[in-house]
Amino acid sequence: MKITSAKSFLLNVPVGSEIADSMQSVTHLEFVGLTIATDEGITGTGYTITVGHGGSVIREVIDTLFVDELKGRDPHAVREIWQQLYFGKAHWIGRAGATTMAQSAVDIALWDIIAKAAGRPLWQVLGGARAGDIPIYNTHAGWLNYSVKQLKDEALKLIDQGYTALKMKVGLADTKEDRRRVAAVRKAIGEKVLLMVDANQKWDLMQARHGARLLEDLDLSWLEEPLHPDDIRSHRLLNEGTSIPIALGEHVYSTHAFRDYMESQAVDIIQVDVCRIGGITPWLEVAAMANAFNIRVCPHAGDLMQVHQHLVKVIPNHWYLEVIPLWKEGPFRHQIRLKDGKCLTPTEPGASTDFTKQALEKFRVK
Ligand code: MG
């Protein structure tokens, strides 16, 4: 099998109503990636996501640094191609951020082809056999721009739908207000439902210690991204002083950084993101490493990063998959299927990354 062409795309998709965390307000998501065609007629799709800006930079990396390296190659050499792209033209200017996100898209498209060529869903091609549907938690009831009443109403609606785990945002200027909001939700949902909080990197070490202390008695399953994602030392110091497990990984861009986090005992739950870490190839390495450290993996945004629903079926140390159901009809051909607070096992061949024809036409940025 040989790659005959690779074409980038950029989609700008409205999210419905505006959503906010401590770092940003979001009205659109960009899906930027590429389709790779082969001489056997099989086409693969890979993409990454931005919160509405920067997609054109990632697209430029794909077009100018990666596309020429792919033509004529066999997609089955995906791990070799990963090394060559990583140590190739992008190395001097990258290794984190836009270049790694672009490489994620390429790697995912190649694995999508491999799975489609085998006629199987990706999780089967990767040797996955985890039985049953996938446990999920929902983030869509907990935005920072929601009032306390909205938070409680939305949380109760999700519990009615069968959800047993929810996440909400923190990181307001007044940490005591964060405490009031989380306590109100905890009271409304009761003790049985798992509750996580996410500060989206807003705090410095002093604020994070204060926040953790105020939230300590609310039986939280984790505190996510309390601090800057490059600051391993501060996460270790915070982790030493709080009983709330620390979760992070959606902004960590290398296997080396994940190793150092785990080795430093600075993290308890790994949220490695296949669209940021460089694709499926390094994602599997991080998950295996976490398993050796006896650490659970809960990937970032399972329904937006469609591939995660496959990957969690492959690893023994998966716990919960995040979902943020923004749309009734999403832009994907094989949208993740949620039922009774679970994610149904994908059955279609490939990595579930193809977009609908309609989405490609309607949302395409020229
Ligand atoms: Mg997060």
Side-chain angles (χ1 to χ4, degrees), residues 167 169 198 200 224-225 250 271 300 322:
K167 189 168 84 188
K169 300 293 184 179
D198 185 356
N200 290 92
E224 177 173 326
E225 283 203 311
E250 65 184 80
Q271 298 176 304
H300 176 229
E322 179 178 30

